[in-house]
Amino acid sequence: VVEYMVPTTNSNTNYGSTLFYSTSDGGISSEKTVKATLTVDGQYHTATFDLSGAASWTGNVAVMRFDYFNGTCSEGDKIYIKRIALVRADGFMIDLSQEGSESKITSSLYTNVAYDSEQKAIALERSGSSSDVNVTFNLTSEALSTDNYTKILVRYMIPTSNSQSSYTATLYFTTSEYTTVAESQTVYSNKLSVDGQYHTLVIDLADHEKWQGNIAKLRFDYFNGTSAEGDIMYIEYVFIK
């Protein structure tokens, strides 16, 4: 994955990029490539180069070459790169970066849920007078055993135009062993970043005494405490690993 930002002052409104790689089983070639399309909006995004199905992705990783503008570009065009990471694919991804992703949220409370095409993420907007806001993901049909999945990663962004300069969040869960939402089945986050940039919240459930059986539901109370009507959080994905 490559976390990047392309300024709107560049010469083009869209770019393609290509990742070349070599391994201990062979050098760089045109057959050892993965492509991605970049978003040009002055915001940070994550480009995913999925190598899980590549027949030549064998051996030890040797070299990775990132052709960040693959095709038309001009002198002076820029890309900012914050992070490049190799991520194992042995997890379950709830991808909220595509149009129609709001259907993956099975229920919500005092929340307007909508896909934002500029952010390429789901916007969760507090609605109404109550601060008791949340969204729920139903994973009962996925048969995800808590023995194999112990961390939940939430990729989020909170605009600086929100009413508060800091928030916390709470994750509630149910499993095949503990089927009712309860305060004893929660994990509280540290303070969330409110800076208009994307961050990854890591929720570790490995030592939670009630993290048993198969995962059933995840309820994310995205603003736990003080918030105002119209406050927004954008979520790009939830990854369970």
Side-chain angles (χ1 to χ4, degrees):
V1 294
V2 178
E3 187 174 358
Y4 71 93
M5 185 270 279
V6 181
T8 56
T9 52
N10 274 17
S11 63
N12 294 321
T13 57
N14 61 75
Y15 297 90
S17 62
T18 304
L19 181 76
F20 289 79
Y21 60 88
S22 69
T23 70
S24 56
D25 290 340
I28 285 177
S29 71
S30 59
E31 295 178 352
K32 295 183 177 180
T33 62
V34 187
K35 298 180 183 296
T37 300
L38 304 180
T39 300
V40 183
D41 61 2
Q43 301 290 329
Y44 275 91
H45 297 275
T46 301
T48 301
F49 296 86
D50 188 356
L51 291 152
S52 58
S56 56
W57 186 246
T58 59
N60 294 327
V61 182
V63 175
M64 306 192 81
R65 192 187 89 190
F66 184 44
D67 291 18
Y68 52 93
F69 294 147
N70 179 35
T72 303
C73 62
S74 299
E75 184 174 0
D77 282 358
K78 293 180 180 179
I79 185 171
Y80 294 87
I81 296 178
K82 183 181 291 187
R83 180 176 64 106
I84 298 177
L86 290 172
V87 180
R88 290 181 61 89
D90 52 352
F92 182 81
M93 174 69 80
I94 304 174
D95 182 7
L96 302 174
S97 67
Q98 306 295 321
E99 189 170 355
S101 296
E102 60 269 28
S103 64
K104 297 179 182 180
I105 294 174
T106 50
S107 64
S108 61
L109 184 65
Y110 298 114
T111 301
N112 289 326
V113 179
Y115 177 73
D116 188 291
S117 58
E118 291 186 2
Q119 290 294 328
K120 295 189 182 302
I122 289 296
L124 307 178
E125 179 182 3
R126 177 186 151 177
S127 62
S129 58
S130 175
S131 61
D132 188 15
V133 296
N134 63 63
V135 293
T136 298
F137 302 91
N138 190 337
L139 303 171
T140 305
S141 63
E142 303 298 337
L144 304 175
S145 172
T146 57
D147 292 335
N148 301 323
Y149 300 92
T150 59
K151 287 186 174 64
I152 298 172
L153 282 62
V154 181
R155 186 72 172 165
Y156 74 94
M157 185 272 275
I158 302 175
T160 56
S161 55
N162 272 18
S163 66
Q164 307 297 314
S165 59
S166 67
Y167 299 89
T168 58
T170 305
L171 180 81
Y172 289 78
F173 64 85
T174 64
T175 69
S176 56
E177 298 295 320
Y178 298 95
T179 58
T180 304
V181 172
E183 290 296 327
S184 60
Q185 293 154 223
T186 61
V187 181
Y188 292 89
S189 76
N190 295 322
K191 186 171 72 171
L192 302 177
S193 298
V194 184
D195 58 6
Q197 303 293 328
Y198 278 89
H199 300 272
T200 303
L201 170 65
V202 179
I203 301 170
D204 191 347
L205 290 149
D207 296 325
H208 200 294
E209 63 179 359
K210 292 193 174 180
W211 190 244
Q212 300 176 26
N214 288 342
I215 303 169
K217 293 181 180 180
L218 301 176
R219 193 187 93 185
F220 187 47
D221 292 24
Y222 54 95
F223 295 144
N224 179 39
T226 303
S227 63
E229 186 171 2
D231 281 358
I232 293 177
M233 175 186 284
Y234 295 96
I235 299 183
E236 187 177 342
Y237 63 77
V238 178
F239 187 65
I240 306 169
K241 69 174 187 175

